[in-house]
């Protein structure tokens, strides 16, 4: 049922607030643009100065700029420009013939994944959705139907795929449906007790950073807040002792090698701690010499990068120090910089009009010709997943920048 | 001989139409999303600054305002990720007080703040930006069904919020 009072509130908001902002004069825009350009040049100058001042920087400068002081030269690994040339593949799940459904493709690795079909209708601004689910074990060449049925119908859902046999469907505010046999059967779980499999997918590993009392699936009005979240081992509770990293705890990552990475924001730096023993002890490295940096780990976990986006900055962990890198596009968003291994980063350009993306390696960014993306991700096995404009999904298998691309559609 | 009414350079004239025609509206939308009036103004200014920098290119687009809107919303999303951690810090210093009566628009901002970022974003894009479900889906790179789900949840949560606060206010009046 439509909430006309909500519409009235929004209309009143619009009327009251519009006109309360003060845009700067256009003449001031030129000054602001010049200041931005000076900032970018200044950052580059400062970066080069920092390179000269440090041993690692000395190496880098010698390798790239100073012929009189020869040093080891990195072996070029980008041979020929990468190409984005997907082959089309249709998602055909037996018994699912909806022509107007939208499909969420949720892969867990290059071969295994799930296709979640949803068909929703608006009626007086309320939503009624029906769903179907398919599963593949051969990179989408063939699909099998599942026994999801209608248990989730009519409610908004989120899906949490763990592997080719395990997937949780969160029927929001109602509970969870879990399959561990490839969709042949589903078990129900209450909203207050999400299955550990869903928790692992949500957390990206076996550990999570949560406020006491939170499940990780609450949001909005039901979210749990606290002054300092805690590190939890999923299925076991809060770890003891808790890490004592200074600052406001920001994010927890688990690498493919099992190591845990914890960050905190502490003024002008981002502090980083590592645990090699499942959160029993922590060792601090760095810090990243920038505020509010975000980490990205390669799929194996042996490469750790830190990224900022205002202004754009990139560091790589070398031993126990974060070493500044060059060549990042000037406009990126830190959540769109992803480590894929072999010293390569997958980047979606921050220029939202072009929707381009590409690869960064050894201080150089190279656009992937033909790519138009609204979002990208990297799976634990290094498979790249790209969502194109138009919301089709393209999967890039293989290694490095030269991938085999497959576009999936229903 | 120069004309009596010198025309502004094309860049300034064309850009000015976009700038003055869309600034208030875009800032209003970001205010609803971020809950911070000053932040909304700053990010809107930054988005237009970037458009100005690239105006020779952007002016050829069918809808330059859509470009500015996308940039502004991405800046807001990026900023919101930082706010999530900062809020914990602020929470340590939160004072307990009884909120007094406040303007309606502030009440809506408070209500929106209780939603998750996704649901709030969908609600603001639909009800204030007046984007269709399909347009929101394209911008957010999700399925239209997902957008409808977000809208449904967001609206339900907002309605519940206002019903609860109305009930509390009624109780206060009765106690008084």
């Amino acid at each position: 049922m439509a909430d006309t009072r909500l519409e009235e509130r929004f209309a009143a908001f619009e009327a009251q607030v519009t006109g309360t902002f003060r845009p700067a004069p256009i003449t001031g825009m030129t000054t602001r643009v010049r200041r931005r350009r000076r900032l970018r040049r200044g950052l580059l100058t400062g970066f080069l100065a920092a390179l000269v001042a440090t041993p690692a920087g000395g190496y880098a400068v010698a390798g790239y700029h100073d012929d009189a002081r020869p040093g080891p030269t990195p072996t070029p690994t980008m041979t020929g420009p990468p190409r984005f040339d997907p082959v089309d593949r249709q998602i055909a799940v037996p018994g699912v013939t909806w022509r107007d459904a939208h499909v969420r493709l949720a892969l867990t690795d290059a071969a295994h994944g799930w296709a979640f079909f949803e068909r929703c209708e608006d009626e007086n601004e309320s939503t009624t959705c029906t769903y179907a689910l398919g599963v593949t074990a051969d990179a989408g060449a063939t699909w099998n139907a599942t026994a999801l049925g209608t248990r989730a119908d009519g409610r908004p859902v989120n899906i949490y795929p763990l592997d080719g046999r395990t997937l949780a469907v969160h029927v929001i505010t109602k509970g969870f449906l879990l399959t561990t046999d490839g969709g042949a059967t589903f078990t129900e779980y209450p909203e207050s007790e999400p299955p550990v499999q869903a928790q692992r997918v949500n957390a990206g590993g076996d550990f999570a950073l949560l406020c006491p009392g939170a499940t990780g699936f609450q949001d909005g009005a039901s979210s749990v807040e606290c002054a300092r979240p805690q590190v939890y081992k999923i299925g076991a509770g809060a770890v003891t002792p808790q890490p004592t990293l200074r600052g406001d705890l920001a994010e927890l990552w688990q690498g493919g090698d099992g190591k845990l990475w914890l960050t905190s924001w502490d003024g002008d730096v981002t502090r980083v701690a590592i645990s090699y023993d499942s959160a029993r002890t922590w060792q601090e490295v760095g810090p990243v010499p920038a505020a509010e940096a975000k980490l990205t780990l390669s799929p194996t976990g042996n490469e750790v990068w830190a990224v900022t986006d205002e202004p754009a900055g990139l560091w790589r962990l070398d031993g126990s120090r974060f070493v500044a890198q060059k060549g990042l596009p000037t406009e990126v968003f830190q959540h769109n910089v992803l480590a894929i291994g072999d010293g390569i980063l997958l980047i979606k350009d921050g220029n939202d009009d072009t929707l381009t993306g590409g690869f960064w390696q050894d201080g150089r960014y190279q656009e992937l010709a033909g790519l138009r993306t609204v979002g990208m991700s990297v799976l634990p096995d290094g498979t790249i997943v790209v969502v194109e404009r138009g919301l089709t999904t393209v999967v890039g298998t293989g290694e490095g920048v030269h991938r085999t691309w497959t576009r999936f559609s229903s | 001989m120069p004309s009596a009414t010198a025309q502004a350079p094309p860049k300034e004239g064309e850009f000015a139409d976009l700038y003055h025609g869309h600034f208030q509206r875009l800032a209003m939308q970001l205010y609803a999303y971020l809950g911070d009036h000053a932040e909304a103004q700053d990010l809107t200014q930054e988005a237009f600054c970037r458009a100005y920098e690239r105006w020779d290119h952007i002016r050829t687009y069918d809808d330059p305002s859509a470009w500015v809107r996308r940039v502004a919303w991405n800046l807001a999303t990026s900023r919101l990720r930082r706010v999530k951690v900062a809020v914990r810090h602020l929470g340590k210093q939160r004072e307990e007080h009884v909120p007094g009566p406040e303007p309606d628009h502030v009440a809506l901002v408070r209500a929106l703040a209780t939603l998750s970022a996704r649901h709030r974003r969908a609600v603001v894009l639909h009800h204030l930006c007046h984007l269709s479900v399909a347009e929101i889906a394209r911008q957010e790179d999700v399925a239209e069904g997902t957008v409808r789900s977000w809208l449904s949840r967001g609206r339900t949560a907002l309605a519940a919020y206002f019903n609860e606060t109305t009930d509390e206010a009624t109780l206060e009046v009765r106690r008084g």
Side-chain angles (χ1 to χ4, degrees):
Chain A
M1 181 178 296
D3 184 349
T4 54
R5 290 205 60 199
L6 268 182
E7 286 294 346
E8 290 168 1
R9 289 181 188 275
F10 279 110
F13 176 87
E14 197 168 338
Q16 290 172 19
V17 172
T18 301
T20 64
F21 300 93
R22 292 185 297 278
I26 292 182
T27 50
M29 201 78 68
T30 308
T31 305
R32 191 167 173 142
V33 167
R34 282 201 291 267
R35 189 161 59 233
R36 279 167 50 85
R37 289 180 181 154
R38 279 202 299 273
L39 176 65
R40 287 198 289 264
R41 286 197 294 270
L43 283 172
L44 181 59
T45 302
F47 168 76
L48 289 175
L51 284 182
V52 172
T54 64
Y59 153 73
V61 169
Y64 287 96
H65 300 290
D66 187 351
D67 291 334
R69 187 181 164 194
T73 304
T75 303
T77 53
M78 296 171 78
T79 54
R83 294 175 57 190
F84 185 73
D85 48 1
V87 172
D88 290 325
R89 174 167 282 177
Q90 191 174 23
I91 303 172
V93 178
V96 181
T97 58
W98 298 340
R99 292 186 180 277
D100 57 349
H102 291 274
V103 184
R104 293 188 230 176
L105 187 61
L107 299 170
T108 57
D109 57 45
H112 299 89
W114 305 79
F116 189 78
F117 295 78
E118 48 189 330
R119 184 173 59 182
C120 298
E121 295 175 354
D122 278 331
E123 193 170 313
N124 295 328
E125 295 199 340
S126 65
T127 302
T128 304
C129 300
T130 52
Y131 306 107
L133 180 67
V135 61
T136 183
D138 57 6
T142 61
W143 294 84
N144 291 319
T146 66
L148 178 64
T150 61
R151 276 169 288 190
D153 287 2
R155 302 291 305 175
V157 302
N158 289 328
I159 59 173
Y160 298 90
L162 184 62
D163 55 41
R165 297 186 62 76
T166 308
L167 175 132
V169 178
H170 182 195
V171 186
I172 296 169
T173 74
K174 291 298 184 184
F176 295 81
L177 300 168
L178 174 72
T179 181
T180 57
D181 55 11
T185 59
F186 284 84
T187 305
E188 295 186 10
Y189 287 76
E191 178 78 2
S192 59
E193 297 175 19
V196 293
Q197 294 89 340
Q199 294 180 56
R200 288 199 179 101
V201 176
N202 197 33
D206 298 319
F207 293 81
L209 191 65
L210 296 170
C211 286
T215 64
F217 295 91
Q218 295 109 338
D219 59 57
S222 60
S223 66
V224 179
E225 294 184 3
C226 59
R228 185 173 174 92
Q230 296 183 340
V231 175
Y232 280 77
K233 182 173 171 59
I234 291 171
V239 302
T240 306
Q242 285 287 315
T244 57
L245 195 64
R246 281 178 294 167
D248 295 312
L249 296 184
E251 291 179 310
L252 180 69
W253 303 85
Q254 185 164 23
D257 53 7
K259 288 193 297 231
L260 295 173
W261 298 82
L262 181 66
T263 62
S264 72
W265 295 346
D266 190 11
D268 294 334
V269 301
T270 301
R271 300 198 178 277
V272 182
I274 317 171
S275 177
Y276 297 87
D277 55 9
S278 300
R280 294 187 190 87
T281 61
W282 298 86
Q283 298 175 24
E284 200 165 336
V285 295
V288 183
E292 301 174 10
K294 184 179 180 66
L295 297 187
T296 178
L297 277 59
S298 62
T300 58
N302 64 349
E303 289 177 27
V304 179
W305 306 77
V307 188
T308 58
D309 56 23
E310 289 184 7
L314 177 66
W315 294 261
R316 180 172 179 172
L317 183 65
D318 183 1
S320 62
R321 294 172 53 248
F322 281 93
V323 179
Q325 308 291 313
K326 65 177 183 178
L328 199 67
T330 52
E331 287 190 21
V332 292
F333 293 101
Q334 44 184 193
H335 56 279
N336 284 331
V337 178
L338 304 169
I340 66 171
D342 297 322
I344 303 169
L345 303 175
L346 176 67
I347 297 176
K348 176 180 174 300
D349 196 297
N351 184 332
D352 282 290
D353 183 66
T354 60
L355 299 181
T356 56
F359 297 101
W360 178 99
Q361 186 178 26
D362 292 332
R364 188 164 66 95
Y365 172 71
Q366 188 170 37
E367 189 175 298
L368 183 56
L371 173 66
R372 295 293 180 270
T373 177
V374 294
M376 303 185 294
S377 59
V378 182
L379 301 180
D381 68 347
T383 299
I384 294 173
V385 179
V386 168
V387 177
E388 294 181 298
R389 195 169 196 171
L391 307 181
T392 48
T393 301
V394 179
V395 177
T397 55
E399 296 179 347
V401 304
H402 299 284
R403 299 276 175 140
T404 300
W405 300 99
T406 306
R407 176 184 288 117
F408 290 89
S409 57
S410 60
Chain B
M1 176 181 281
S3 72
T5 53
Q7 283 186 326
K11 177 175 183 175
E12 302 290 344
E14 289 177 354
F15 179 80
D17 289 342
L18 176 79
Y19 187 54
H20 295 305
H22 290 85
F23 188 100
Q24 293 288 338
R25 185 171 192 78
L26 182 56
M28 176 266 297
Q29 294 157 8
L30 292 193
Y31 173 39
Y33 181 57
L34 295 170
D36 186 321
H37 192 278
E39 194 78 4
Q41 173 154 322
D42 188 54
L43 293 183
T44 304
Q45 194 73 65
E46 176 64 25
F48 276 102
C49 181
R50 296 187 186 193
Y52 186 81
E53 209 172 356
R54 299 167 180 76
W55 186 242
D56 287 342
H57 191 57
I58 293 171
R59 60 186 287 271
T60 65
Y61 296 164
D62 290 339
D63 187 2
S65 69
W67 187 93
V68 179
R69 186 182 68 236
R70 278 198 299 271
V71 170
W73 276 90
N74 265 326
L75 289 171
T77 299
S78 184
R79 193 63 58 90
L80 206 61
R81 290 170 196 269
R82 297 177 175 74
V83 169
K84 206 174 162 183
V85 173
V87 161
R88 291 200 209 111
H89 176 72
L90 291 174
K92 300 173 196 171
Q93 299 138 37
R94 189 179 297 147
E95 295 176 8
E96 294 297 326
H97 67 281
V98 178
E102 53 191 5
D104 285 345
H105 73 267
V106 176
L108 182 59
V109 169
R110 286 192 187 279
L112 287 166
T114 65
L115 306 184
S116 74
R118 287 178 182 175
H119 302 156
R120 181 165 68 251
R121 195 171 166 113
V123 166
V124 172
L125 286 172
H126 187 65
H127 289 281
L128 290 177
C129 303
H130 303 294
L131 296 188
S132 68
V133 169
E135 288 170 323
I136 297 172
R138 273 196 297 276
Q139 179 169 312
E140 302 300 305
D141 79 62
V142 297
E144 290 186 22
T146 303
V147 174
R148 292 192 184 95
S149 298
W150 289 348
L151 287 173
S152 175
R153 290 199 67 199
R155 290 180 191 129
T156 302
L158 287 177
Y161 174 91
F162 284 113
N163 286 339
E164 287 168 8
T165 52
T166 301
D167 289 343
E168 284 174 9
T170 303
L171 284 173
E172 286 296 324
V173 169
R174 287 178 182 166
R175 289 196 195 105

mmCIF file of all heavy atoms in Angstrom, chain A residues 155-178:
data_model
loop_
_atom_site.group_PDB
_atom_site.id
_atom_site.type_symbol
_atom_site.label_atom_id
_atom_site.label_comp_id
_atom_site.label_asym_id
_atom_site.label_seq_id
_atom_site.Cartn_x
_atom_site.Cartn_y
_atom_site.Cartn_z
ATOM 1 N N ARG A 155 9.458 -11.701 -0.757
ATOM 2 C CA ARG A 155 10.311 -10.967 0.180
ATOM 3 C C ARG A 155 11.609 -10.568 -0.512
ATOM 4 O O ARG A 155 12.068 -11.266 -1.401
ATOM 5 C CB ARG A 155 10.648 -11.850 1.389
ATOM 6 C CG ARG A 155 9.459 -12.360 2.163
ATOM 7 C CD ARG A 155 8.767 -11.250 2.882
ATOM 8 N NE ARG A 155 9.679 -10.515 3.745
ATOM 9 C CZ ARG A 155 9.343 -9.431 4.409
ATOM 10 N NH1 ARG A 155 8.118 -8.947 4.319
ATOM 11 N NH2 ARG A 155 10.228 -8.826 5.177
ATOM 12 N N PRO A 156 12.198 -9.474 -0.100
ATOM 13 C CA PRO A 156 13.532 -9.160 -0.627
ATOM 14 C C PRO A 156 14.547 -10.167 -0.106
ATOM 15 O O PRO A 156 14.420 -10.654 1.016
ATOM 16 C CB PRO A 156 13.812 -7.759 -0.080
ATOM 17 C CG PRO A 156 12.894 -7.588 1.071
ATOM 18 C CD PRO A 156 11.701 -8.433 0.824
ATOM 19 N N VAL A 157 15.508 -10.511 -0.941
ATOM 20 C CA VAL A 157 16.499 -11.510 -0.559
ATOM 21 C C VAL A 157 17.893 -11.040 -0.926
ATOM 22 O O VAL A 157 18.078 -10.213 -1.817
ATOM 23 C CB VAL A 157 16.245 -12.884 -1.240
ATOM 24 C CG1 VAL A 157 14.871 -13.403 -0.899
ATOM 25 C CG2 VAL A 157 16.441 -12.792 -2.728
ATOM 26 N N ASN A 158 18.872 -11.579 -0.196
ATOM 27 C CA ASN A 158 20.282 -11.501 -0.567
ATOM 28 C C ASN A 158 20.809 -12.923 -0.637
ATOM 29 O O ASN A 158 20.334 -13.800 0.083
ATOM 30 C CB ASN A 158 21.088 -10.711 0.466
ATOM 31 C CG ASN A 158 20.779 -9.228 0.425
ATOM 32 O OD1 ASN A 158 20.475 -8.683 -0.628
ATOM 33 N ND2 ASN A 158 20.843 -8.582 1.565
ATOM 34 N N ILE A 159 21.772 -13.163 -1.507
ATOM 35 C CA ILE A 159 22.322 -14.517 -1.628
ATOM 36 C C ILE A 159 23.788 -14.517 -1.244
ATOM 37 O O ILE A 159 24.515 -13.553 -1.498
ATOM 38 C CB ILE A 159 22.124 -15.102 -3.044
ATOM 39 C CG1 ILE A 159 22.799 -14.213 -4.096
ATOM 40 C CG2 ILE A 159 20.648 -15.271 -3.347
ATOM 41 C CD1 ILE A 159 22.789 -14.842 -5.487
ATOM 42 N N TYR A 160 24.217 -15.616 -0.627
ATOM 43 C CA TYR A 160 25.580 -15.749 -0.127
ATOM 44 C C TYR A 160 26.138 -17.092 -0.596
ATOM 45 O O TYR A 160 25.977 -18.101 0.072
ATOM 46 C CB TYR A 160 25.593 -15.646 1.403
ATOM 47 C CG TYR A 160 25.097 -14.305 1.896
ATOM 48 C CD1 TYR A 160 23.749 -14.101 2.163
ATOM 49 C CD2 TYR A 160 25.979 -13.235 2.064
ATOM 50 C CE1 TYR A 160 23.294 -12.866 2.584
ATOM 51 C CE2 TYR A 160 25.525 -12.000 2.489
ATOM 52 C CZ TYR A 160 24.180 -11.820 2.741
ATOM 53 O OH TYR A 160 23.731 -10.588 3.154
ATOM 54 N N PRO A 161 26.801 -17.122 -1.752
ATOM 55 C CA PRO A 161 27.370 -18.380 -2.248
ATOM 56 C C PRO A 161 28.734 -18.640 -1.638
ATOM 57 O O PRO A 161 29.606 -17.763 -1.647
ATOM 58 C CB PRO A 161 27.495 -18.119 -3.753
ATOM 59 C CG PRO A 161 27.703 -16.641 -3.865
ATOM 60 C CD PRO A 161 27.014 -16.005 -2.677
ATOM 61 N N LEU A 162 28.943 -19.852 -1.134
ATOM 62 C CA LEU A 162 30.229 -20.194 -0.555
ATOM 63 C C LEU A 162 31.066 -21.018 -1.531
ATOM 64 O O LEU A 162 32.258 -20.790 -1.677
ATOM 65 C CB LEU A 162 30.034 -20.972 0.747
ATOM 66 C CG LEU A 162 31.299 -21.312 1.523
ATOM 67 C CD1 LEU A 162 32.027 -20.050 1.960
ATOM 68 C CD2 LEU A 162 30.961 -22.178 2.746
ATOM 69 N N ASP A 163 30.431 -21.989 -2.177
ATOM 70 C CA ASP A 163 31.101 -22.791 -3.184
ATOM 71 C C ASP A 163 30.048 -23.391 -4.090
ATOM 72 O O ASP A 163 28.880 -23.009 -4.017
ATOM 73 C CB ASP A 163 31.987 -23.872 -2.550
ATOM 74 C CG ASP A 163 31.224 -24.766 -1.580
ATOM 75 O OD1 ASP A 163 30.078 -25.146 -1.881
ATOM 76 O OD2 ASP A 163 31.784 -25.084 -0.506
ATOM 77 N N GLY A 164 30.454 -24.358 -4.926
ATOM 78 C CA GLY A 164 29.516 -24.915 -5.894
ATOM 79 C C GLY A 164 28.412 -25.750 -5.286
ATOM 80 O O GLY A 164 27.465 -26.096 -5.989
ATOM 81 N N ARG A 165 28.491 -26.065 -4.013
ATOM 82 C CA ARG A 165 27.442 -26.864 -3.391
ATOM 83 C C ARG A 165 26.736 -26.116 -2.257
ATOM 84 O O ARG A 165 25.689 -26.544 -1.798
ATOM 85 C CB ARG A 165 28.044 -28.163 -2.827
ATOM 86 C CG ARG A 165 28.652 -29.067 -3.891
ATOM 87 C CD ARG A 165 29.091 -30.398 -3.304
ATOM 88 N NE ARG A 165 27.974 -31.159 -2.756
ATOM 89 C CZ ARG A 165 27.078 -31.824 -3.481
ATOM 90 N NH1 ARG A 165 27.156 -31.800 -4.799
ATOM 91 N NH2 ARG A 165 26.113 -32.496 -2.905
ATOM 92 N N THR A 166 27.294 -25.006 -1.845
ATOM 93 C CA THR A 166 26.800 -24.320 -0.648
ATOM 94 C C THR A 166 26.391 -22.897 -0.969
ATOM 95 O O THR A 166 27.189 -22.105 -1.478
ATOM 96 C CB THR A 166 27.885 -24.292 0.437
ATOM 97 O OG1 THR A 166 28.389 -25.612 0.644
ATOM 98 C CG2 THR A 166 27.325 -23.739 1.743
ATOM 99 N N LEU A 167 25.143 -22.597 -0.650
ATOM 100 C CA LEU A 167 24.633 -21.241 -0.846
ATOM 101 C C LEU A 167 23.560 -20.967 0.192
ATOM 102 O O LEU A 167 22.751 -21.836 0.504
ATOM 103 C CB LEU A 167 24.048 -21.075 -2.248
ATOM 104 C CG LEU A 167 23.372 -19.732 -2.548
ATOM 105 C CD1 LEU A 167 23.827 -19.144 -3.866
ATOM 106 C CD2 LEU A 167 21.845 -19.875 -2.566
ATOM 107 N N ALA A 168 23.585 -19.741 0.730
ATOM 108 C CA ALA A 168 22.547 -19.313 1.668
ATOM 109 C C ALA A 168 21.721 -18.211 1.024
ATOM 110 O O ALA A 168 22.271 -17.301 0.403
ATOM 111 C CB ALA A 168 23.171 -18.816 2.967
ATOM 112 N N VAL A 169 20.421 -18.315 1.175
ATOM 113 C CA VAL A 169 19.495 -17.282 0.717
ATOM 114 C C VAL A 169 18.947 -16.591 1.950
ATOM 115 O O VAL A 169 18.323 -17.237 2.801
ATOM 116 C CB VAL A 169 18.343 -17.888 -0.105
ATOM 117 C CG1 VAL A 169 17.367 -16.790 -0.529
ATOM 118 C CG2 VAL A 169 18.882 -18.617 -1.330
ATOM 119 N N HIS A 170 19.224 -15.313 2.093
ATOM 120 C CA HIS A 170 18.710 -14.554 3.228
ATOM 121 C C HIS A 170 17.388 -13.936 2.821
ATOM 122 O O HIS A 170 17.358 -13.016 2.005
ATOM 123 C CB HIS A 170 19.719 -13.472 3.633
ATOM 124 C CG HIS A 170 19.279 -12.671 4.827
ATOM 125 N ND1 HIS A 170 19.874 -11.477 5.173
ATOM 126 C CD2 HIS A 170 18.327 -12.892 5.774
ATOM 127 C CE1 HIS A 170 19.299 -10.999 6.267
ATOM 128 N NE2 HIS A 170 18.363 -11.840 6.651
ATOM 129 N N VAL A 171 16.306 -14.461 3.370
ATOM 130 C CA VAL A 171 14.982 -13.883 3.145
ATOM 131 C C VAL A 171 14.833 -12.800 4.212
ATOM 132 O O VAL A 171 14.538 -13.090 5.378
ATOM 133 C CB VAL A 171 13.883 -14.952 3.273
ATOM 134 C CG1 VAL A 171 12.541 -14.361 2.883
ATOM 135 C CG2 VAL A 171 14.203 -16.151 2.390
ATOM 136 N N ILE A 172 15.072 -11.588 3.804
ATOM 137 C CA ILE A 172 15.335 -10.515 4.757
ATOM 138 C C ILE A 172 14.176 -10.316 5.722
ATOM 139 O O ILE A 172 13.023 -10.212 5.327
ATOM 140 C CB ILE A 172 15.658 -9.221 3.993
ATOM 141 C CG1 ILE A 172 16.961 -9.440 3.211
ATOM 142 C CG2 ILE A 172 15.808 -8.036 4.929
ATOM 143 C CD1 ILE A 172 17.298 -8.386 2.208
ATOM 144 N N THR A 173 14.527 -10.285 6.989
ATOM 145 C CA THR A 173 13.680 -10.183 8.183
ATOM 146 C C THR A 173 12.954 -11.483 8.503
ATOM 147 O O THR A 173 12.295 -11.580 9.536
ATOM 148 C CB THR A 173 12.632 -9.042 8.110
ATOM 149 O OG1 THR A 173 11.575 -9.416 7.220
ATOM 150 C CG2 THR A 173 13.251 -7.737 7.689
ATOM 151 N N LYS A 174 13.082 -12.489 7.631
ATOM 152 C CA LYS A 174 12.377 -13.747 7.888
ATOM 153 C C LYS A 174 13.312 -14.865 8.308
ATOM 154 O O LYS A 174 12.983 -15.680 9.166
ATOM 155 C CB LYS A 174 11.608 -14.189 6.630
ATOM 156 C CG LYS A 174 10.428 -13.298 6.292
ATOM 157 C CD LYS A 174 9.391 -13.316 7.394
ATOM 158 C CE LYS A 174 8.171 -12.505 7.005
ATOM 159 N NZ LYS A 174 7.178 -12.425 8.110
ATOM 160 N N GLY A 175 14.474 -14.960 7.686
ATOM 161 C CA GLY A 175 15.409 -16.022 8.026
ATOM 162 C C GLY A 175 16.246 -16.421 6.827
ATOM 163 O O GLY A 175 16.333 -15.686 5.845
ATOM 164 N N PHE A 176 16.862 -17.585 6.952
ATOM 165 C CA PHE A 176 17.799 -18.041 5.933
ATOM 166 C C PHE A 176 17.386 -19.419 5.408
ATOM 167 O O PHE A 176 16.825 -20.241 6.147
ATOM 168 C CB PHE A 176 19.212 -18.144 6.520
ATOM 169 C CG PHE A 176 19.793 -16.829 6.941
ATOM 170 C CD1 PHE A 176 19.453 -16.256 8.161
ATOM 171 C CD2 PHE A 176 20.677 -16.161 6.121
ATOM 172 C CE1 PHE A 176 19.980 -15.034 8.558
ATOM 173 C CE2 PHE A 176 21.227 -14.943 6.508
ATOM 174 C CZ PHE A 176 20.868 -14.378 7.724
ATOM 175 N N LEU A 177 17.714 -19.660 4.134
ATOM 176 C CA LEU A 177 17.578 -20.980 3.519
ATOM 177 C C LEU A 177 18.969 -21.397 3.072
ATOM 178 O O LEU A 177 19.621 -20.691 2.315
ATOM 179 C CB LEU A 177 16.642 -20.910 2.300
ATOM 180 C CG LEU A 177 15.219 -20.437 2.583
ATOM 181 C CD1 LEU A 177 14.494 -20.140 1.277
ATOM 182 C CD2 LEU A 177 14.453 -21.486 3.385
ATOM 183 N N LEU A 178 19.413 -22.560 3.551
ATOM 184 C CA LEU A 178 20.784 -22.998 3.267
ATOM 185 C C LEU A 178 20.765 -24.324 2.525
ATOM 186 O O LEU A 178 20.076 -25.261 2.920
ATOM 187 C CB LEU A 178 21.573 -23.162 4.571
ATOM 188 C CG LEU A 178 22.980 -23.746 4.430
ATOM 189 C CD1 LEU A 178 23.921 -22.723 3.789
ATOM 190 C CD2 LEU A 178 23.525 -24.196 5.784
#
